Amino acid sequence: MAKSLEQVVAEGLIADCSSLEELYVLWQTVHHMEEDGAGGTCYQEIDRRSFHIDGILCPERFSGVIYLLKEPSLKEYIRKGLTFPVITDSRQGFRKHTHSWSEEYSYLVGMQRILLGEEEKKLSDRQIAETFGVVYINKRGGKETQDNVWLKYGYAYMEFIRRQIQLINPRVIVCGGGEVFDLVVEEVFSRKKTLLNRVEQMIWKGTENEYQFTADSSYRYTTRPDKVSVIVVNMWSPCEGKNGGSPAPRSEFLDEFKHRIYTLPGAAS
């Protein structure tokens, strides 16, 4: 995405954002600055000024777990021919379990019950939802199509996404899809170390453990149990299923999630 001088200046202010509210205002401002469809980060049917606020659903009950997904669906808005900017608070949809968010809701609640363990048995689905956060890569929204618009958006707005994750400061990040996992591990975390001759060496390539990445408080890769502060889990997308295919039945999906959590070193049990 070709960036204007105003965009470059705005992005320079990201590190100064000390709250998510500040970050969202700046993020929306840059949306307004972007040209229509610039760099393939926006669909023609979606106004570039659209923005979906997301994050922690209930700060008082937050467990430190966030679910990182590609993009919220705007198919209903597109079907109705609505062309004005769509500004929504995705957190409200999950709190109230409204229909537009129901496709992902039961899968996220199911995974969260597994992560909470014994504690979850006394909680309703709504109470379970209050313990996690939901973060979308593409804050404009998408059409639920198999393309890479969300990914282009992710690279274009990675500084914002990285800062959002830092401000939320999660202990577990569950990625909805292998591409989401690859993006966040490559762009948010450090997988290299600098040798004495100043050459950088890759210390995590994903070959030994394709389902989980562990990092310290500085977001650098580590396998030391006493240093691990955040765990990134590679899971299927709730809306797409394995390898981008049709959504898997919920029971099969959750069985696979248990396998990826409990059979791996540093698991978030």
Side-chain angles (χ1 to χ4, degrees):
M1 180 180 75
K3 298 179 180 179
S4 65
L5 176 60
E6 290 83 359
Q7 285 175 272
V8 174
V9 171
E11 291 184 1
L13 301 174
I14 294 173
D16 295 330
C17 293
S18 58
S19 69
L20 290 171
E21 288 72 22
E22 289 181 64
L23 184 68
Y24 294 150
V25 170
L26 186 62
W27 205 329
Q28 291 181 66
T29 300
V30 177
H31 268 200
H32 284 241
M33 294 175 180
E34 187 180 340
E35 296 179 2
D36 286 326
T41 65
C42 184
Y43 296 96
Q44 283 188 333
E45 301 94 328
I46 298 175
D47 191 292
R48 70 179 187 276
R49 296 167 295 176
S50 296
F51 193 86
H52 296 268
I53 298 170
D54 55 27
I56 299 171
L57 303 189
C58 180
E60 296 78 17
R61 304 193 63 180
F62 183 51
S63 65
V65 179
I66 64 170
Y67 294 90
L68 191 62
L69 308 174
K70 290 182 180 179
E71 57 194 11
S73 174
L74 283 183
K75 63 180 181 180
E76 288 301 313
Y77 290 90
I78 295 172
R79 184 180 61 80
K80 294 176 182 178
L82 303 177
T83 58
F84 53 80
V86 178
I87 309 295
T88 66
D89 188 336
S90 303
R91 299 169 299 184
Q92 293 288 351
F94 279 102
R95 289 192 196 109
K96 298 177 181 179
H97 190 190
T98 56
H99 176 70
S100 58
W101 309 103
S102 61
E103 294 178 359
E104 298 163 342
Y105 184 91
S106 65
Y107 288 83
L108 301 189
V109 168
M111 286 189 284
Q112 189 69 1
R113 285 191 180 278
I114 293 170
L115 290 176
L116 291 178
E118 288 296 316
E119 182 184 346
E120 63 85 18
K121 294 180 180 179
K122 57 188 177 184
L123 301 176
S124 66
D125 283 359
R126 179 168 293 186
Q127 289 173 319
I128 289 288
E130 290 177 346
T131 67
F132 61 76
V134 178
V135 173
Y136 289 104
I137 299 293
N138 180 4
K139 294 291 191 288
R140 283 202 181 95
K143 303 191 298 182
E144 296 185 1
T145 55
Q146 297 292 330
D147 56 37
N148 61 357
V149 171
W150 72 272
L151 187 58
K152 290 181 179 179
Y153 179 99
Y155 281 113
Y157 287 89
M158 181 47 62
E159 293 299 322
F160 287 95
I161 296 167
R162 183 183 297 116
R163 187 59 180 155
Q164 183 184 17
I165 292 174
Q166 290 172 346
L167 288 170
I168 292 175
N169 192 27
R171 63 180 182 86
V172 177
I173 302 173
V174 179
C175 298
E179 290 179 300
V180 176
F181 177 79
D182 291 342
L183 178 68
V184 71
V185 168
E186 290 173 5
E187 300 296 329
V188 176
F189 294 86
S190 175
R191 304 177 297 157
K192 299 178 181 179
K193 67 177 180 180
T194 303
L195 305 179
L196 293 177
N197 58 3
R198 297 184 179 181
V199 174
E200 286 191 329
Q201 180 185 59
M202 185 71 71
I203 57 176
W204 188 86
K205 300 179 181 179
T207 54
E208 295 181 0
N209 186 343
E210 62 179 314
Y211 299 143
Q212 198 175 104
F213 178 91
T214 51
D216 60 20
S217 58
S218 298
Y219 282 21
R220 294 183 178 278
Y221 173 65
T222 183
T223 56
R224 288 182 52 180
D226 61 322
K227 293 292 185 180
V228 172
S229 293
V230 59
I231 301 169
V232 187
V233 181
N234 180 1
M235 187 52 197
W236 305 337
S237 167
C239 291
E240 296 177 3
K242 188 176 182 180
N243 299 323
S246 300
R250 186 173 179 271
S251 59
E252 178 184 337
F253 181 94
L254 296 179
D255 283 344
E256 177 64 21
F257 183 67
K258 288 178 183 177
H259 166 71
R260 298 190 180 198
I261 289 296
Y262 293 128
T263 62
L264 300 172
S269 57

